[in-house]
């Protein structure tokens, strides 16, 4: 469940921040200041230029979020199993558990 949520969160974040990334890339290529670059881009290329490359970026971040949170959940479950505990909903690694629950479970496992 966390892997799917991580995937969706990564995709949404990538889509929403793509315009900032496009402007940042133009600035790194030697354009002028932020707002003058943004004005020039909108004047010459139109608003759609701010979303150049949005789909590959969304896909990449969705896959990354899926892998990151999926691995995180599995690590928490493994550490709990090594500790002798079983994750239940609301506890570390459980369906309702969150990052703080997972961190608490890992801390308990090590000390």
């Amino acid at each position: 469940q966390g892997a799917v949520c991580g995937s969706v969160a990564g995709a949404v974040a990538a889509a929403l921040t793509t315009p900032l990334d496009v402007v940042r890339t133009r600035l790194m290529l030697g354009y002028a200041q932020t707002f003058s670059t943004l004005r020039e881009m909108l004047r010459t290329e139109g608003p759609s230029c701010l979303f150049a490359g949005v789909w590959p970026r969304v896909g990449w971040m969705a896959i990354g979020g899926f892998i990151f949170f999926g691995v995180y959940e599995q690590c928490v479950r493994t550490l709990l199993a090594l500790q002798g505990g079983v994750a239940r909903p609301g506890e570390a690694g459980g369906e309702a558990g969150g990052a703080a629950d997972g961190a608490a479970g890992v801390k308990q496992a090590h000390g």
Side-chain angles (χ1 to χ4, degrees):
Q1 179 182 4
V4 173
C5 290
S7 177
V8 171
V12 170
L16 293 176
T17 60
T18 295
L20 298 172
D21 194 49
V22 169
V23 172
R24 179 185 57 89
T25 301
R26 297 281 178 101
L27 290 170
M28 289 177 15
L29 291 173
Y31 286 78
Q33 296 181 358
T34 304
F35 291 110
S36 61
T37 300
L38 180 59
R39 271 195 304 272
E40 184 64 22
M41 287 171 61
L42 291 173
R43 187 179 68 75
T44 59
E45 302 173 52
S48 64
C49 75
L50 295 176
F51 291 93
V54 70
W55 295 118
R57 188 165 189 250
V58 164
W60 180 254
M61 294 302 290
I63 291 168
F66 185 87
I67 293 170
F68 178 83
F69 283 103
V71 168
Y72 170 78
E73 281 187 334
Q74 189 58 47
C75 287
V76 169
R77 285 189 196 109
T78 301
L79 289 172
L80 284 172
L82 290 172
Q83 179 184 355
V86 177
R88 295 184 302 261
E91 292 182 357
E95 289 183 22
D101 291 336
V106 171
K107 185 175 181 182
Q108 289 174 357
H110 292 299

XYZ file of all heavy atoms in Angstrom:
789
model
N 0.821 -1.177 0.000
C 0.000 0.000 0.000
C 0.878 1.259 0.000
O 0.592 2.197 -0.707
C -0.922 -0.019 1.213
C -1.808 1.190 1.303
C -2.674 1.156 2.549
O -2.553 0.279 3.368
N -3.527 2.121 2.681
N 1.935 1.260 0.800
C 2.831 2.410 0.840
C 3.545 2.623 -0.476
O 3.811 3.764 -0.868
N 3.833 1.537 -1.190
C 4.497 1.663 -2.489
C 3.599 2.389 -3.479
O 4.056 3.255 -4.231
C 4.881 0.283 -3.017
N 2.313 2.061 -3.463
C 1.373 2.719 -4.374
C 1.219 4.186 -3.999
O 1.218 5.066 -4.867
C 0.010 1.997 -4.362
C -1.026 2.766 -5.162
C 0.160 0.586 -4.909
N 1.111 4.463 -2.698
C 1.004 5.856 -2.247
C 2.260 6.647 -2.613
O 2.178 7.804 -3.029
C 0.770 5.905 -0.747
S -0.852 5.318 -0.252
N 3.423 6.029 -2.455
C 4.666 6.683 -2.835
C 4.728 6.964 -4.324
O 5.227 8.003 -4.757
N 4.201 6.039 -5.112
C 4.172 6.216 -6.551
C 3.281 7.400 -6.945
O 3.678 8.251 -7.746
C 3.660 4.932 -7.208
O 3.564 5.087 -8.592
N 2.102 7.454 -6.358
C 1.168 8.553 -6.658
C 1.749 9.881 -6.187
O 1.698 10.881 -6.917
C -0.209 8.281 -6.019
C -1.116 9.493 -6.121
C -0.864 7.074 -6.673
N 2.309 9.901 -4.984
C 2.888 11.139 -4.452
C 4.038 11.630 -5.323
O 4.147 12.833 -5.606
C 3.367 10.927 -3.018
N 4.884 10.709 -5.764
C 5.992 11.091 -6.641
C 5.518 11.646 -7.968
O 6.055 12.635 -8.472
N 4.485 11.036 -8.527
C 3.948 11.492 -9.814
C 3.341 12.881 -9.690
O 3.584 13.764 -10.532
C 2.914 10.495 -10.330
N 2.560 13.104 -8.643
C 1.921 14.417 -8.446
C 2.981 15.492 -8.203
O 2.929 16.572 -8.792
C 0.914 14.357 -7.280
C 0.429 15.744 -6.898
C -0.267 13.470 -7.659
N 3.952 15.185 -7.355
C 5.013 16.157 -7.070
C 5.801 16.498 -8.336
O 6.130 17.663 -8.574
C 5.942 15.618 -5.996
N 6.087 15.498 -9.147
C 6.838 15.741 -10.386
C 6.044 16.623 -11.337
O 6.589 17.550 -11.942
C 7.181 14.414 -11.055
N 4.748 16.341 -11.466
C 3.921 17.139 -12.375
C 3.825 18.586 -11.908
O 3.897 19.517 -12.725
C 2.530 16.520 -12.493
N 3.668 18.783 -10.601
C 3.506 20.142 -10.082
C 4.794 20.955 -10.109
O 4.747 22.181 -10.198
C 2.956 20.094 -8.657
C 1.524 19.573 -8.510
C 1.145 19.494 -7.032
C 0.549 20.455 -9.267
N 5.927 20.302 -10.021
C 7.194 21.040 -9.981
C 7.913 21.097 -11.322
O 8.979 21.710 -11.414
C 8.137 20.440 -8.924
O 8.407 19.073 -9.256
C 7.549 20.547 -7.524
N 7.346 20.493 -12.353
C 7.992 20.534 -13.670
C 8.242 21.955 -14.168
O 9.336 22.238 -14.673
C 7.195 19.706 -14.694
O 7.241 18.338 -14.296
C 7.769 19.842 -16.087
N 7.280 22.893 -14.059
C 7.580 24.256 -14.527
C 8.799 24.872 -13.836
O 9.613 25.526 -14.500
C 6.302 25.035 -14.195
C 5.228 24.002 -14.218
C 5.869 22.761 -13.656
N 8.940 24.637 -12.541
C 10.113 25.170 -11.836
C 11.394 24.521 -12.351
O 12.425 25.190 -12.500
C 9.974 24.912 -10.338
C 8.788 25.572 -9.645
C 8.665 25.080 -8.211
C 8.932 27.074 -9.692
N 11.332 23.241 -12.637
C 12.505 22.528 -13.137
C 12.894 23.018 -14.530
O 14.081 23.149 -14.836
C 12.213 21.022 -13.153
C 13.467 20.202 -13.328
O 14.448 20.450 -12.597
O 13.468 19.310 -14.204
N 11.896 23.302 -15.357
C 12.182 23.800 -16.710
C 12.871 25.164 -16.631
O 13.874 25.403 -17.304
C 10.887 23.879 -17.555
C 11.113 24.631 -18.855
C 10.357 22.481 -17.837
N 12.344 26.057 -15.794
C 12.959 27.386 -15.637
C 14.360 27.248 -15.063
O 15.305 27.900 -15.525
C 12.071 28.294 -14.749
C 12.795 29.599 -14.425
C 10.752 28.584 -15.442
N 14.551 26.376 -14.066
C 15.877 26.168 -13.474
C 16.875 25.679 -14.520
O 18.023 26.122 -14.565
C 15.782 25.160 -12.331
C 17.113 24.866 -11.667
C 16.987 23.778 -10.623
N 16.447 22.536 -11.161
C 17.186 21.555 -11.699
N 18.491 21.682 -11.768
N 16.619 20.452 -12.151
N 16.421 24.772 -15.386
C 17.303 24.263 -16.440
C 17.710 25.380 -17.386
O 18.883 25.478 -17.788
C 16.609 23.130 -17.210
O 16.273 22.095 -16.283
C 17.500 22.578 -18.303
N 16.769 26.234 -17.756
C 17.102 27.365 -18.631
C 18.096 28.300 -17.960
O 19.009 28.816 -18.606
C 15.834 28.148 -19.001
C 14.815 27.357 -19.793
C 15.203 27.251 -21.253
N 14.248 26.452 -21.977
C 13.288 26.947 -22.754
N 13.162 28.245 -22.909
N 12.457 26.135 -23.380
N 17.927 28.516 -16.669
C 18.859 29.386 -15.946
C 20.253 28.788 -15.937
O 21.249 29.504 -16.074
C 18.371 29.623 -14.518
C 17.131 30.498 -14.380
C 16.599 30.460 -12.956
C 17.440 31.921 -14.804
N 20.343 27.480 -15.778
C 21.655 26.815 -15.773
C 22.314 26.876 -17.147
O 23.537 26.788 -17.247
C 21.506 25.361 -15.318
C 21.199 25.256 -13.838
S 20.902 23.617 -13.146
C 21.472 22.475 -14.308
N 21.520 27.030 -18.188
C 22.074 27.122 -19.537
C 22.581 28.526 -19.854
O 23.020 28.789 -20.969
C 21.028 26.693 -20.571
C 20.670 25.207 -20.549
C 19.494 24.934 -21.489
C 21.873 24.377 -20.951
N 22.480 29.425 -18.885
C 23.067 30.740 -19.073
C 22.080 31.841 -19.386
O 22.490 32.924 -19.799
N 20.807 31.598 -19.198
C 19.839 32.665 -19.393
C 19.954 33.657 -18.252
O 20.668 33.443 -17.280
C 18.418 32.091 -19.465
C 18.120 31.390 -20.769
C 18.584 30.102 -21.007
C 17.397 32.017 -21.760
C 18.323 29.450 -22.192
C 17.132 31.372 -22.956
C 17.598 30.085 -23.168
O 17.339 29.454 -24.338
N 19.194 34.765 -18.354
C 19.281 35.852 -17.366
C 18.645 35.435 -16.036
O 18.747 34.287 -15.647
C 18.600 37.088 -17.925
N 17.990 36.354 -15.394
C 17.394 36.089 -14.090
C 16.072 35.328 -14.213
O 15.489 35.230 -15.290
C 17.185 37.401 -13.349
C 18.506 38.087 -13.047
C 18.290 39.375 -12.301
O 17.170 39.776 -12.031
N 19.388 40.034 -11.963
N 15.590 34.823 -13.087
C 14.440 33.922 -13.057
C 13.210 34.509 -13.734
O 12.649 33.899 -14.656
C 14.100 33.555 -11.598
O 15.249 33.004 -10.989
C 12.955 32.570 -11.536
N 12.756 35.664 -13.288
C 11.500 36.198 -13.810
C 11.620 36.677 -15.244
O 10.683 36.519 -16.028
C 10.959 37.302 -12.893
C 10.487 36.754 -11.577
C 11.187 37.008 -10.421
C 9.356 35.950 -11.508
C 10.778 36.484 -9.210
C 8.926 35.422 -10.306
C 9.635 35.689 -9.150
N 12.778 37.220 -15.620
C 12.938 37.629 -17.014
C 12.991 36.396 -17.923
O 12.457 36.402 -19.033
C 14.185 38.494 -17.201
O 15.339 37.784 -16.839
N 13.600 35.325 -17.451
C 13.626 34.073 -18.219
C 12.216 33.520 -18.364
O 11.808 33.112 -19.456
C 14.517 33.027 -17.520
O 15.838 33.552 -17.436
C 14.534 31.718 -18.267
N 11.461 33.526 -17.278
C 10.090 33.029 -17.313
C 9.233 33.856 -18.261
O 8.492 33.299 -19.087
C 9.501 33.052 -15.899
C 8.069 32.576 -15.748
C 7.920 31.136 -16.226
C 7.619 32.698 -14.300
N 9.336 35.179 -18.188
C 8.560 36.053 -19.095
C 8.909 35.790 -20.557
O 8.035 35.688 -21.406
C 8.825 37.522 -18.758
C 7.903 38.094 -17.730
C 7.973 39.617 -17.698
N 9.332 40.111 -17.480
C 9.873 40.313 -16.282
N 9.179 40.077 -15.206
N 11.101 40.757 -16.172
N 10.199 35.657 -20.830
C 10.637 35.418 -22.211
C 10.141 34.063 -22.717
O 9.716 33.934 -23.868
C 12.159 35.504 -22.289
C 12.726 35.374 -23.688
C 12.305 36.521 -24.607
O 11.946 37.604 -24.123
O 12.335 36.313 -25.845
N 10.209 33.051 -21.879
C 9.725 31.726 -22.280
C 8.232 31.774 -22.609
O 7.788 31.232 -23.624
C 9.964 30.710 -21.154
C 11.409 30.317 -20.978
S 11.689 29.322 -19.492
C 10.664 27.906 -19.824
N 7.452 32.430 -21.743
C 6.009 32.505 -21.972
C 5.684 33.327 -23.215
O 4.770 32.986 -23.965
C 5.312 33.098 -20.740
C 5.308 32.216 -19.500
C 4.752 32.977 -18.301
C 4.515 30.949 -19.746
N 6.451 34.390 -23.455
C 6.197 35.252 -24.611
C 6.519 34.547 -25.923
O 5.765 34.608 -26.871
C 7.019 36.538 -24.495
C 6.705 37.580 -25.570
C 7.528 38.841 -25.384
N 8.953 38.636 -25.627
C 9.500 38.505 -26.841
N 8.765 38.543 -27.913
N 10.800 38.335 -26.953
N 7.650 33.833 -25.958
C 8.089 33.243 -27.227
C 7.573 31.829 -27.465
O 7.328 31.444 -28.605
C 9.627 33.225 -27.311
O 10.144 32.478 -26.222
C 10.197 34.627 -27.305
N 7.392 31.038 -26.395
C 7.029 29.635 -26.570
C 5.639 29.283 -26.058
O 5.133 28.199 -26.342
C 8.062 28.745 -25.863
C 9.472 28.950 -26.371
C 10.474 28.182 -25.534
O 10.262 26.966 -25.341
O 11.449 28.796 -25.067
N 5.033 30.158 -25.275
C 3.715 29.886 -24.720
C 3.786 29.085 -23.429
O 4.828 28.537 -23.075
N 2.649 29.008 -22.728
C 2.620 28.330 -21.427
C 2.988 26.839 -21.487
O 3.505 26.285 -20.531
C 1.173 28.490 -20.959
C 0.611 29.589 -21.774
C 1.374 29.629 -23.050
N 2.741 26.203 -22.603
C 3.020 24.762 -22.692
C 4.511 24.448 -22.560
O 4.880 23.334 -22.196
C 2.481 24.192 -23.999
O 3.146 24.761 -25.103
N 5.384 25.432 -22.816
C 6.822 25.184 -22.696
C 7.219 24.864 -21.262
O 8.227 24.202 -21.018
C 7.626 26.365 -23.223
S 7.643 27.801 -22.135
N 6.419 25.308 -20.291
C 6.734 25.046 -18.890
C 6.541 23.584 -18.516
O 7.019 23.146 -17.477
C 5.879 25.932 -17.981
C 6.142 27.431 -18.088
C 5.158 28.195 -17.211
C 7.574 27.764 -17.712
N 5.829 22.837 -19.361
C 5.591 21.427 -19.075
C 6.335 20.511 -20.041
O 5.959 19.358 -20.222
C 4.091 21.140 -19.088
C 3.393 21.781 -17.924
C 2.824 23.031 -18.039
C 3.353 21.139 -16.699
C 2.203 23.628 -16.958
C 2.742 21.724 -15.609
C 2.160 22.977 -15.743
N 7.410 21.020 -20.623
C 8.235 20.199 -21.509
C 8.843 19.050 -20.715
O 9.441 19.250 -19.667
C 9.337 21.050 -22.137
N 8.655 17.851 -21.179
C 9.217 16.679 -20.525
C 8.468 16.209 -19.295
O 9.002 15.439 -18.505
N 7.212 16.645 -19.134
C 6.471 16.297 -17.922
C 6.211 14.794 -17.812
O 6.329 14.219 -16.731
C 5.165 17.109 -17.802
C 4.137 16.693 -18.838
C 4.576 16.962 -16.403
N 5.871 14.115 -18.901
C 5.506 12.691 -18.813
C 6.689 11.790 -18.475
O 6.553 10.914 -17.609
C 4.768 12.236 -20.073
C 3.455 12.956 -20.198
C 3.076 13.800 -21.202
C 2.374 12.948 -19.259
N 1.825 14.308 -20.930
C 1.370 13.800 -19.756
C 2.160 12.315 -18.038
C 0.174 14.019 -19.078
C 0.963 12.533 -17.359
C -0.012 13.372 -17.890
N 7.845 11.970 -19.077
C 8.983 11.143 -18.631
C 9.343 11.402 -17.162
O 9.668 10.477 -16.416
C 10.128 11.560 -19.552
C 9.478 12.133 -20.744
C 8.197 12.741 -20.271
N 9.253 12.649 -16.729
C 9.581 12.996 -15.345
C 8.570 12.373 -14.381
O 8.942 11.825 -13.338
C 9.600 14.515 -15.196
C 10.103 14.984 -13.870
C 10.445 16.482 -13.940
N 11.117 16.855 -12.723
C 10.588 17.632 -11.794
N 9.399 18.144 -11.955
N 11.263 17.914 -10.711
N 7.277 12.453 -14.738
C 6.231 11.858 -13.897
C 6.445 10.344 -13.798
O 6.358 9.760 -12.709
C 4.831 12.197 -14.445
C 3.765 11.299 -13.840
C 4.501 13.657 -14.183
N 6.726 9.711 -14.918
C 6.954 8.266 -14.907
C 8.148 7.878 -14.067
O 8.085 6.926 -13.279
N 9.222 8.614 -14.201
C 10.449 8.325 -13.456
C 10.222 8.477 -11.953
O 10.629 7.631 -11.158
C 11.552 9.274 -13.930
C 12.857 9.086 -13.242
C 13.404 9.909 -12.300
C 13.785 8.015 -13.427
N 14.619 9.411 -11.898
C 14.874 8.248 -12.580
C 13.801 6.900 -14.240
C 15.958 7.401 -12.514
C 14.891 6.057 -14.162
C 15.944 6.309 -13.313
N 9.548 9.543 -11.550
C 9.301 9.777 -10.123
C 8.286 8.790 -9.557
O 8.396 8.387 -8.391
C 8.828 11.215 -9.901
C 9.890 12.250 -10.231
S 11.414 12.052 -9.303
C 10.873 12.523 -7.694
N 7.315 8.383 -10.363
C 6.339 7.395 -9.896
C 7.020 6.051 -9.642
O 6.780 5.403 -8.610
C 5.216 7.237 -10.924
N 7.871 5.652 -10.545
C 8.607 4.393 -10.366
C 9.526 4.482 -9.147
O 9.596 3.566 -8.325
C 9.409 4.046 -11.639
C 8.450 3.681 -12.770
C 10.398 2.921 -11.373
C 9.109 3.598 -14.132
N 10.213 5.612 -9.008
C 11.108 5.805 -7.869
C 10.366 5.777 -6.544
O 10.819 5.156 -5.581
N 9.218 6.434 -6.469
C 8.422 6.430 -5.248
C 7.924 5.046 -4.904
O 7.918 4.635 -3.735
N 7.517 4.296 -5.924
C 7.041 2.934 -5.719
C 8.146 2.061 -5.134
O 7.947 1.352 -4.150
C 6.549 2.351 -7.049
C 5.922 0.993 -6.909
C 4.583 0.877 -6.603
C 6.669 -0.152 -7.083
C 3.988 -0.371 -6.469
C 6.099 -1.406 -6.959
C 4.745 -1.514 -6.645
N 9.327 2.140 -5.724
C 10.449 1.325 -5.257
C 10.885 1.743 -3.859
O 11.060 0.908 -2.967
C 11.627 1.394 -6.251
C 11.235 0.708 -7.558
C 12.890 0.784 -5.658
C 12.224 0.935 -8.687
N 11.042 3.045 -3.632
C 11.521 3.540 -2.346
C 10.607 3.113 -1.205
O 11.051 2.539 -0.212
C 11.654 5.068 -2.380
C 12.106 5.661 -1.083
C 13.450 5.700 -0.758
C 11.194 6.162 -0.178
C 13.878 6.227 0.441
C 11.612 6.690 1.034
C 12.953 6.730 1.340
N 9.311 3.392 -1.325
C 8.400 3.078 -0.231
C 8.127 1.580 -0.132
O 7.888 1.069 0.961
C 7.104 3.881 -0.355
C 7.295 5.310 0.080
C 7.419 6.323 -0.853
C 7.379 5.625 1.423
C 7.609 7.630 -0.459
C 7.579 6.937 1.832
C 7.687 7.941 0.888
N 8.163 0.868 -1.239
C 8.020 -0.580 -1.186
C 9.165 -1.232 -0.443
O 8.960 -2.112 0.406
N 10.376 -0.797 -0.729
C 11.554 -1.333 -0.039
C 11.523 -0.939 1.436
O 11.822 -1.750 2.311
C 12.858 -0.857 -0.723
C 14.074 -1.161 0.126
C 12.986 -1.491 -2.098
N 11.133 0.288 1.710
C 11.033 0.747 3.096
C 10.072 -0.141 3.889
O 10.404 -0.593 4.992
C 10.571 2.206 3.150
C 10.230 2.664 4.543
C 11.231 2.999 5.444
C 8.908 2.734 4.973
C 10.928 3.405 6.729
C 8.600 3.132 6.260
C 9.608 3.473 7.127
O 9.299 3.857 8.400
N 8.888 -0.374 3.341
C 7.913 -1.225 4.031
C 8.457 -2.632 4.269
O 8.273 -3.216 5.328
C 6.620 -1.315 3.224
C 5.727 -0.126 3.370
C 4.391 -0.338 2.697
O 4.303 -1.140 1.742
O 3.426 0.287 3.136
N 9.118 -3.179 3.274
C 9.655 -4.529 3.423
C 10.756 -4.574 4.471
O 10.851 -5.529 5.241
C 10.170 -5.047 2.077
C 10.530 -6.510 2.102
C 9.348 -7.387 2.506
O 8.240 -7.243 2.005
N 9.576 -8.301 3.418
N 11.585 -3.555 4.525
C 12.640 -3.498 5.551
C 12.038 -3.438 6.952
O 12.522 -4.107 7.872
C 13.543 -2.290 5.320
S 14.634 -2.464 3.906
N 10.991 -2.641 7.126
C 10.339 -2.559 8.435
C 9.762 -3.911 8.814
O 9.935 -4.372 9.948
C 9.249 -1.460 8.434
C 8.386 -1.544 9.687
C 9.885 -0.088 8.317
N 9.097 -4.566 7.879
C 8.540 -5.897 8.170
C 9.640 -6.896 8.536
O 9.490 -7.686 9.466
C 7.758 -6.406 6.966
C 6.425 -5.747 6.803
C 5.599 -6.453 5.728
N 4.507 -5.600 5.340
C 4.402 -4.975 4.180
N 5.316 -5.139 3.250
N 3.368 -4.211 3.922
N 10.738 -6.856 7.814
C 11.843 -7.774 8.082
C 12.439 -7.518 9.457
O 12.704 -8.458 10.213
C 12.926 -7.638 6.990
O 12.339 -7.922 5.725
C 14.092 -8.572 7.251
N 12.663 -6.254 9.796
C 13.218 -5.927 11.110
C 12.269 -6.343 12.228
O 12.703 -6.834 13.271
C 13.532 -4.432 11.195
C 14.723 -3.974 10.361
C 14.824 -2.460 10.363
C 16.006 -4.603 10.862
N 10.977 -6.156 12.013
C 10.010 -6.589 13.020
C 10.015 -8.109 13.174
O 9.907 -8.624 14.284
C 8.613 -6.095 12.679
C 8.353 -4.622 12.963
C 7.010 -4.194 12.412
C 8.436 -4.347 14.454
N 10.131 -8.809 12.068
C 10.164 -10.275 12.127
C 11.420 -10.749 12.856
O 11.365 -11.696 13.641
C 10.111 -10.858 10.724
N 12.538 -10.094 12.638
C 13.773 -10.450 13.327
C 13.669 -10.182 14.825
O 14.266 -10.872 15.639
C 14.959 -9.685 12.740
C 15.381 -10.091 11.331
C 16.440 -9.129 10.810
C 15.882 -11.519 11.301
N 12.909 -9.147 15.157
C 12.710 -8.780 16.550
C 11.726 -9.745 17.214
O 11.680 -9.836 18.423
C 12.174 -7.354 16.626
C 11.894 -6.842 18.004
C 11.268 -5.457 17.974
O 11.127 -4.850 16.921
N 10.882 -4.961 19.119
N 10.944 -10.437 16.424
C 9.961 -11.371 16.975
C 8.568 -10.807 17.001
O 7.623 -11.472 17.402
N 8.396 -9.569 16.558
C 7.068 -8.949 16.522
C 6.429 -9.143 15.168
O 7.091 -9.435 14.186
N 5.139 -9.026 15.129
C 4.388 -9.115 13.875
C 3.676 -7.794 13.690
O 3.006 -7.318 14.606
C 3.370 -10.274 13.918
C 2.540 -10.311 12.657
C 4.084 -11.595 14.147
N 3.816 -7.202 12.529
C 3.187 -5.919 12.255
C 1.680 -6.093 12.131
O 1.200 -6.950 11.412
C 3.750 -5.325 10.976
N 0.956 -5.263 12.883
C -0.502 -5.239 12.791
C -0.900 -3.866 12.290
O -0.131 -2.913 12.391
C -1.107 -5.507 14.165
C -0.798 -6.903 14.688
C -1.497 -7.154 16.014
N -1.141 -6.185 17.033
C -0.231 -6.384 17.992
N 0.424 -7.520 18.042
N 0.023 -5.467 18.881
N -2.140 -3.724 11.759
C -2.580 -2.394 11.318
C -2.416 -1.371 12.431
O -2.763 -1.630 13.581
C -4.057 -2.616 10.974
C -4.122 -4.056 10.582
C -3.137 -4.749 11.491
N -1.824 -0.238 12.090
C -1.571 0.815 13.054
C -0.191 0.755 13.675
O 0.237 1.676 14.350
N 0.532 -0.336 13.452
C 1.893 -0.451 13.962
C 2.873 -0.323 12.804
O 2.485 -0.251 11.663
C 2.088 -1.799 14.654
C 1.296 -1.939 15.937
C 1.552 -3.255 16.630
O 2.297 -4.088 16.083
O 1.004 -3.451 17.717
N 4.141 -0.333 13.099
C 5.169 -0.211 12.071
C 5.003 -1.297 11.033
O 4.942 -2.470 11.356
C 6.558 -0.301 12.696
N 4.905 -0.886 9.787
C 4.764 -1.844 8.700
C 3.338 -2.283 8.473
O 3.052 -2.962 7.512
N 2.421 -1.914 9.372
C 1.024 -2.271 9.201
C 0.353 -1.350 8.204
O 0.909 -0.342 7.786
N -0.877 -1.654 7.855
C -1.561 -0.888 6.813
C -1.761 0.561 7.209
O -1.673 1.449 6.388
C -2.906 -1.533 6.498
C -2.747 -2.839 5.761
C -4.087 -3.425 5.384
O -5.072 -2.683 5.305
O -4.129 -4.635 5.154
N -2.046 0.838 8.474
C -2.305 2.208 8.896
C -1.051 2.881 9.447
O -1.100 4.018 9.854
C -3.410 2.237 9.942
N 0.064 2.171 9.519
C 1.291 2.730 10.066
C 1.907 3.749 9.127
O 1.715 3.713 7.927
N 2.647 4.701 9.684
C 3.288 5.714 8.866
C 4.792 5.699 9.075
O 5.345 4.788 9.686
N 5.452 6.735 8.590
C 6.907 6.802 8.692
C 7.360 6.863 10.147
O 8.340 6.233 10.522
C 7.425 8.019 7.930
N 6.623 7.592 10.974
C 7.006 7.676 12.378
C 6.875 6.315 13.053
O 7.717 5.926 13.863
C 6.148 8.706 13.101
N 5.813 5.577 12.723
C 5.650 4.242 13.280
C 6.805 3.351 12.859
O 7.328 2.590 13.655
C 4.339 3.610 12.811
C 3.120 4.304 13.403
O 3.262 4.932 14.468
O 2.044 4.206 12.789
N 7.189 3.443 11.600
C 8.289 2.616 11.098
C 9.593 2.951 11.781
O 10.357 2.074 12.165
N 9.841 4.246 11.971
C 11.068 4.657 12.638
C 11.080 4.172 14.082
O 12.099 3.731 14.595
C 11.213 6.175 12.583
N 9.921 4.232 14.733
C 9.852 3.762 16.124
C 10.117 2.256 16.172
O 10.800 1.769 17.066
C 8.477 4.080 16.707
N 9.591 1.520 15.214
C 9.805 0.077 15.178
C 11.261 -0.260 14.955
O 11.805 -1.169 15.580
N 11.921 0.485 14.082
C 13.343 0.253 13.820
C 14.156 0.600 15.052
O 15.074 -0.126 15.438
C 13.818 1.064 12.597
C 15.322 0.996 12.461
C 13.143 0.548 11.340
N 13.803 1.697 15.733
C 14.527 2.098 16.938
C 14.384 1.030 18.027
O 15.348 0.700 18.697
C 14.013 3.441 17.443
C 14.791 3.967 18.617
C 14.335 5.345 19.018
C 15.150 5.859 20.179
N 14.717 7.144 20.631
N 13.175 0.506 18.185
C 12.964 -0.537 19.187
C 13.772 -1.781 18.852
O 14.280 -2.452 19.728
C 11.491 -0.896 19.280
C 10.655 0.185 19.913
C 9.167 -0.151 19.864
O 8.781 -1.168 19.300
N 8.357 0.710 20.430
N 13.901 -2.089 17.559
C 14.627 -3.280 17.153
C 16.119 -3.176 17.472
O 16.790 -4.171 17.652
C 14.433 -3.532 15.662
N 16.621 -1.923 17.517
C 18.053 -1.740 17.749
C 18.390 -1.261 19.147
O 19.542 -1.014 19.443
C 18.624 -0.729 16.743
C 18.619 -1.238 15.343
N 19.314 -2.358 14.952
C 17.968 -0.791 14.250
C 19.100 -2.570 13.671
N 18.291 -1.649 13.220
N 17.431 -1.071 19.981
C 17.857 -0.588 21.261
C 16.779 -0.512 22.221
O 16.652 -0.332 23.265
